[in-house]
Amino acid sequence: MASIFTKIINGEIPCYKIAEDENFFAFLDINPNAKGHTLCVPKKEVDRIMDLDEETYLGLMAFSRKVGKAIEASINCNRVGITVIGLEVPHVHVHLIPLNEMKEATFQHKVAPAKEEFMAIADKIRSKIE
Ligand code: AMP
């Protein structure tokens, strides 16, 4: 069965889209640690990051860097942190988290933007994608 992220990539489930190319897709995390928390996903559905072929792994990191630089340029943060977990959704994804404090990296601290705010955040990040 297709993962929830494959359904997002295919447009079957809505998301706050940030960027897309031939092989990768980025959208806002629906339960963010901080405003601007973004997920970068390979379109190829693989569960564990260590099982990605090297080309996809390196491509995912390059795509994540591009998106991360746009987050740093648009969201008020000290820096963007990168985390890979995957215990909830078995489809590789890189968490890009705007960080000001350590608690934002813990996944214990959450924020809950309204729909309009999610849309505004996505617009701001998208406007800085190069
Ligand atoms: P993990 O698999 O532990 O790395 O966590 C999965 C992440 O995906 C969590 O941060 C969720 O909030 C996020 N997530 C799950 N479903 C959605 C969705 N439909 N749209 C955006 N983010 C999601």
Side-chain angles (χ1 to χ4, degrees), residues 4-5 8 13-15 27-32 37 39 84-90 93 95 107 110:
I4 188 165
F5 291 167
I8 287 174
I13 291 178
C15 72
F27 53 98
L28 294 181
D29 194 298
I30 204 67
N31 185 22
H37 181 168
L39 303 177
V84 177
I85 303 177
L87 290 173
E88 183 185 323
V89 178
H93 49 284
H95 292 262
F107 292 82
K110 294 289 178 178

Side-chain angles (χ1 to χ4, degrees), residues 1-7 42-47 52 90-92:
M1 200 179 76
S3 78
I4 188 165
F5 291 167
T6 293
K7 288 179 182 168
K43 292 183 176 177
K44 190 186 291 183
E45 192 177 316
V46 172
D47 178 359
L52 286 180
H91 183 158
V92 174

Side-chain angles (χ1 to χ4, degrees), residues 17-89:
K17 183 174 168 181
I18 300 295
E20 177 177 14
D21 69 12
E22 191 187 341
N23 298 312
F24 304 102
F25 196 97
F27 53 98
L28 294 181
D29 194 298
I30 204 67
N31 185 22
N33 293 15
K35 290 175 185 177
H37 181 168
T38 298
L39 303 177
C40 296
V41 182
K43 292 183 176 177
K44 190 186 291 183
E45 192 177 316
V46 172
D47 178 359
R48 294 175 168 82
I49 192 163
M50 298 308 168
D51 290 338
L52 286 180
D53 61 79
E54 188 168 309
E55 186 183 354
T56 305
Y57 176 85
L58 294 175
L60 176 61
M61 289 304 143
F63 181 79
S64 299
R65 178 172 178 266
K66 189 168 99 167
V67 174
K69 286 170 84 71
I71 296 171
E72 283 188 345
S74 58
I75 302 293
N76 181 22
C77 63
N78 178 283
R79 65 193 59 220
V80 168
I82 292 186
T83 305
V84 177
I85 303 177
L87 290 173
E88 183 185 323
V89 178

